Amino acid sequence: MDRERNSDLGLVSRETLRRVLLTLRPPADQPALEQALGGAALAVMALGRWITEPDFLLRELCAELTLPTPGVKRNASSVLWRRLAKYPAWRLVLTITEEVQADLLAAIGAEIVSGVLEGRPVPPGRANRLRELVEAGERADADPLISTILREAEVRFSASSAAPVEKSQPARVMSYYRARWHYAAEHAQQARASHRALESSQFIKACEFLRARVEDDDPRAILHALVLLTGLNTELTRSLPLLSRWAGDWTAAIDVESGLYLFDLNAVAPHARRARGAGSVAASRVVTRPLPHFLAARLRKLQQEKPAALTVDEMLDAPEISEADLLSHGCSARIKPTLARAGNTVERFCVAELGMHRVLAAFLSGRFETVSHSKAYYTLLARDMAWQAAGALFDRIGWGAPVPLVAGLPAGALGVPTDDTMRRLFAWMTSEVETVAPGRNAGLGKLIEYHNTYTRAAASILVFVLALRSVTRLPITADVDIDAPVVGLLDKRSPSAWAPDGRSAGPHPTPFAKLARYQIELYRRHCKALARRLRRFESFADAAATLEQIGACAPVELLVQITRQGEIQPVGSSELVRWWPEEFSLVENFGRAYWQTRLVELGVSSRAIDRLMRHVTQGEHPLSSDGGDSLLALALDVVNAMNAELARLGVGPLRGIVA
């Protein structure tokens, strides 16, 4: 928002405004902002009047949302309404006037307040239904939805209710990251300079000045430094628990004795898949990052002075700070070195100035703006890599060395197969295929058994090498061009930059490693040879015809199985998981975590890895006209690294029937 719009919203605190916008999910340009917030204020205040004894949080929110001109009549054009069809909550609050029935207005307010407290958007279905009731202009007290919402609100927001409404620290941290992703600007995702960040030289000077103030034992400077290091806002940084004294749940915490910052990745990537056994690399979801030595020393000294302190705020005697605080004085530049701008600079500085891998920069800065949040699901980061990255950053900004490396588990994905697991898997599949190999005069049953086993083995190789998602049938056709550097894959139907109406944008060009190309060619030859053998079985004529099409590179499904009745069946991920032995503890999409982790370790760029993973980050699409990257170059970076890795593992294609 520009300065003029901010002046009209002076009564709404920055944090409250951020939470309300997260709940209402407006378009990026936030059209009719003042009117929308006016409607939201009317609804929230109606809820406060409807509940006999509103609790403290509800009363505070009502007070903060009192705008200068609430309830202004909306005269939005039909063009605006059509545009807002995809933003039901925003359209809902724009329809609110003072004439709306009190019960209906209170129900809308309950949905808004619940979203603000829980850090979630208003459900689209409810928003649309509530808007229909508003626009109908009829009494809505008999509507079951209104009754349900108000009954829940009475229990939750009444001061006499025993139901807790204050959000826990994990919930507040998760809400914070949801808002950061939803409202992240493209310049942040592209790691480029903007008026919201500092120039590199200005950032370095501000950090050097901040270190001097920390060494003078300035509590405000210590808190400023922690805000920069954690990537959290001032409120969450102040409430960071001290690990040695804290007994409750936490998502982010400070280990003062070891000089570490700990962050649970479930705040940015919840419901991550768990490892099923010993076949995966032992890992943790908690990222452990070092503090600079000078800051860790000051924190240990403060803890000795305040041994009973539970949080950073208590240890520092609750110093007053703001994101508008200047980190250095006497700056003549028009863009001042505020705490907010310095925080916005950290991740960009790591990527643009230090040449750090974007995944490392995201994990180190704690902001996760330059990568898709799926990186937190699939990447496993070793501690020594985090320490090396922190050392490079601290040295460049004049903060000295980090605390000594503390041994521990890598952090991130929990289902990354070990190298030994991959070697044993391919050895087992080779043995399975060889065990059921048919002779020259094999009967029908033997041929079908061999084909299905070979198909599952070939499918497993492609699932691994192409980093496929969990699918009901593998999205590969027999006419794929095995000489091309990329193959078009569509294993997830979702909107993209080319399909704003929700339709899929089509197959994503995916790097085509040598092993996948060879395996497809051998499988097509196998199908051609098997079709010749099946011609002598009249009841399997249709199956033989399908195999002939595959062998002739026709546009049909590539990987198929044959039942004993001669029917053709596709191969899906769930069937492969049932086929793989449990000792390997593999999940359907095990290749995604393996390659995301290994390619980061091999130094392949994040944008190149996104081509293999088929990830799209808003404002950072390598295939867009302003991406500046060569699709061929990105694909070759990935293919060359994968070919070398597969050679190291000793993995090769499997041959089927050849005659």
Side-chain angles (χ1 to χ4, degrees):
M1 289 179 291
D2 56 31
R3 190 171 300 172
E4 182 180 351
R5 295 172 79 183
N6 273 329
S7 65
D8 293 334
L9 303 173
L11 297 180
V12 185
S13 73
R14 181 180 304 175
E15 178 64 15
T16 298
L17 179 60
R18 181 186 66 79
R19 293 185 181 185
V20 171
L21 292 177
L22 174 63
T23 299
L24 298 178
R25 288 289 177 97
D29 59 342
Q30 301 170 0
L33 175 63
E34 290 82 2
Q35 290 87 340
L37 290 179
L42 278 177
V44 172
M45 288 186 287
L47 175 65
R49 289 190 295 268
W50 186 83
I51 293 180
T52 306
E53 295 181 61
D55 64 8
F56 173 77
L57 283 178
L58 180 56
R59 284 186 282 111
E60 286 293 302
L61 190 58
C62 288
E64 287 195 24
L65 283 177
T66 304
L67 295 175
T69 55
V72 177
K73 278 281 188 178
R74 283 26 167 205
N75 295 314
S77 66
S78 60
V79 175
L80 176 60
W81 290 130
R82 288 198 300 270
R83 178 190 170 206
L84 294 181
K86 298 178 186 176
Y87 305 94
W90 196 252
R91 184 173 180 179
L92 167 64
V93 293
L94 283 176
T95 61
I96 294 175
T97 66
E98 293 177 346
E99 287 75 30
V100 176
Q101 182 189 342
D103 286 357
L104 176 55
L105 204 55
I108 297 172
E111 284 297 306
I112 294 173
V113 175
S114 296
V116 168
L117 293 179
E118 297 172 12
R120 61 163 177 82
V122 176
R126 284 197 171 188
N128 283 324
R129 178 56 184 157
L130 292 171
R131 177 180 55 80
E132 291 171 359
L133 293 172
V134 170
E135 293 174 342
E138 301 173 358
R139 293 196 60 79
D141 49 0
D143 190 281
L145 176 61
I146 303 302
S147 303
T148 300
I149 293 176
L150 292 179
R151 187 165 54 250
E152 294 173 351
E154 179 68 37
V155 173
R156 179 168 190 182
F157 300 120
S158 174
S160 59
S161 172
V165 295
E166 185 174 357
K167 291 174 63 176
S168 63
Q169 194 236 19
R172 287 187 291 125
V173 174
M174 184 176 291
S175 173
Y176 167 73
Y177 278 103
R178 283 178 180 168
R180 284 196 73 92
W181 271 329
H182 186 68
Y183 294 106
E186 288 191 0
H187 63 264
Q189 293 165 331
Q190 296 168 352
R192 58 182 174 83
S194 76
H195 68 280
R196 295 185 180 180
L198 301 176
E199 294 182 354
S200 298
S201 59
Q202 197 177 16
F203 176 64
I204 293 172
K205 289 179 181 178
C207 290
E208 291 173 344
F209 189 82
L210 183 59
R211 175 179 180 173
R213 291 172 51 212
V214 170
E215 291 176 335
D216 289 338
D217 294 324
D218 182 348
R220 296 178 74 248
I222 293 174
L223 200 51
H224 288 159
L226 288 174
V227 170
L228 292 187
L229 287 167
T230 61
L232 303 175
N233 59 23
T234 55
E235 175 192 349
L236 291 173
T237 304
R238 297 171 73 105
S239 63
L240 279 175
L242 305 179
L243 205 57
S244 60
R245 301 282 301 173
W246 190 260
D249 294 335
W250 57 270
T251 291
I254 297 289
D255 182 351
V256 176
E257 287 81 359
S258 301
L260 305 174
Y261 170 63
L262 292 87
F263 176 72
D264 190 340
L265 283 174
N266 289 315
V268 295
H271 312 302
R273 192 184 295 272
R274 297 284 175 179
R276 299 195 306 163
S280 301
V281 178
S284 168
R285 289 294 287 169
V286 177
V287 177
T288 302
R289 303 200 326 245
L291 300 178
H293 188 273
F294 77 92
L295 179 60
R298 294 304 182 281
L299 292 177
R300 281 192 288 269
K301 176 183 175 183
L302 286 169
Q303 189 176 50
Q304 291 172 0
E305 296 172 359
K306 300 283 184 66
L310 298 178
T311 65
V312 168
D313 206 34
E314 294 177 10
M315 185 172 62
L316 297 176
D317 289 330
E320 290 296 327
I321 70 166
S322 163
E323 292 186 351
D325 291 347
L326 293 177
L327 298 188
S328 61
H329 300 285
C331 177
S332 59
R334 192 176 72 172
I335 296 180
K336 303 300 182 183
T338 62
L339 177 61
R341 287 197 176 101
N344 292 336
T345 308
V346 177
E347 191 170 3
R348 184 202 67 81
F349 184 85
C350 291
V351 174
E353 295 297 324
L354 301 180
M356 193 178 295
H357 198 286
R358 285 173 181 257
V359 173
L360 273 173
F363 275 62
L364 179 62
S365 68
R367 285 162 176 82
F368 298 93
E369 288 184 333
T370 62
V371 295
S372 62
H373 74 279
S374 51
K375 303 290 185 186
Y377 286 103
Y378 294 126
T379 307
L380 185 60
L381 195 65
R383 282 205 180 187
D384 58 345
M385 294 180 67
W387 250 257
Q388 291 171 9
L393 173 63
F394 296 163
D395 180 68
R396 188 73 177 85
I397 63 178
W399 280 14
V403 298
L405 174 65
V406 178
L409 295 174
L414 300 180
V416 181
T418 64
D419 289 350
D420 180 63
T421 296
M422 297 310 305
R423 292 189 179 99
R424 289 192 297 119
L425 171 67
F426 280 90
W428 173 80
M429 290 195 301
T430 301
S431 174
E432 287 291 299
V433 171
E434 292 175 349
T435 299
V436 296
R440 282 276 181 185
N441 300 312
L444 178 61
K446 190 72 172 177
L447 291 174
I448 298 304
E449 180 187 13
Y450 177 79
H451 171 76
N452 291 341
T453 302
Y454 181 64
T455 296
R456 295 188 195 106
S460 302
I461 291 175
L462 295 180
V463 164
F464 173 57
V465 179
L466 297 176
L468 289 176
R469 296 179 171 94
S470 178
V471 289
T472 56
R473 55 208 311 160
L474 271 62
I476 307 170
T477 55
D479 62 341
V480 61
D481 182 5
I482 62 173
D483 294 323
V486 296
V487 57
L489 292 180
L490 182 58
D491 55 356
K492 180 180 180 181
R493 295 188 177 275
S494 61
S496 76
W498 299 302
D501 59 353
R503 295 174 301 170
S504 171
H508 289 260
T510 304
F512 210 4
K514 181 171 63 176
L515 175 58
R517 298 202 303 269
Y518 285 1
Q519 187 59 67
I520 290 174
E521 176 59 21
L522 289 174
Y523 186 81
R524 291 194 299 211
R525 292 181 183 178
H526 158 83
C527 289
K528 195 171 182 179
L530 181 60
R532 288 195 296 267
R533 292 201 185 191
L534 290 180
R535 285 182 190 145
R536 55 195 172 101
F537 302 102
E538 227 177 272
S539 60
F540 279 72
D542 291 342
T546 299
L547 295 177
E548 285 178 350
Q549 287 182 303
I550 295 173
C553 305
V556 297
E557 202 163 9
L558 174 68
L559 295 153
V560 297
Q561 297 183 102
I562 305 174
T563 68
R564 293 192 176 277
Q565 291 73 36
E567 297 174 350
I568 295 295
Q569 288 185 344
V571 182
S573 303
S574 59
E575 182 176 357
L576 295 179
V577 172
R578 291 193 297 269
W579 183 59
W580 299 327
E582 289 189 7
E583 64 182 281
F584 299 139
S585 60
L586 296 174
V587 295
E588 296 97 326
N589 59 350
F590 71 96
R592 299 179 69 76
Y594 184 89
W595 289 117
Q596 174 67 61
T597 298
R598 286 297 297 137
L599 292 176
V600 168
E601 294 173 351
L602 293 171
V604 179
S605 73
S606 180
R607 300 184 77 183
I609 297 173
D610 283 347
R611 295 305 87 230
L612 176 68
M613 306 294 287
R614 298 171 293 286
H615 287 156
V616 176
T617 302
Q618 182 182 358
E620 188 62 12
H621 200 308
L623 306 185
S624 62
S625 59
D626 59 351
D629 288 325
S630 162
L631 174 59
L632 178 60
L634 290 173
L636 289 178
D637 286 346
V638 174
V639 167
N640 291 336
M642 292 181 72
N643 290 343
E645 178 68 7
L646 292 167
R648 184 184 68 84
L649 291 174
V651 173
L654 297 176
R655 299 174 65 88
I657 297 174
V658 295

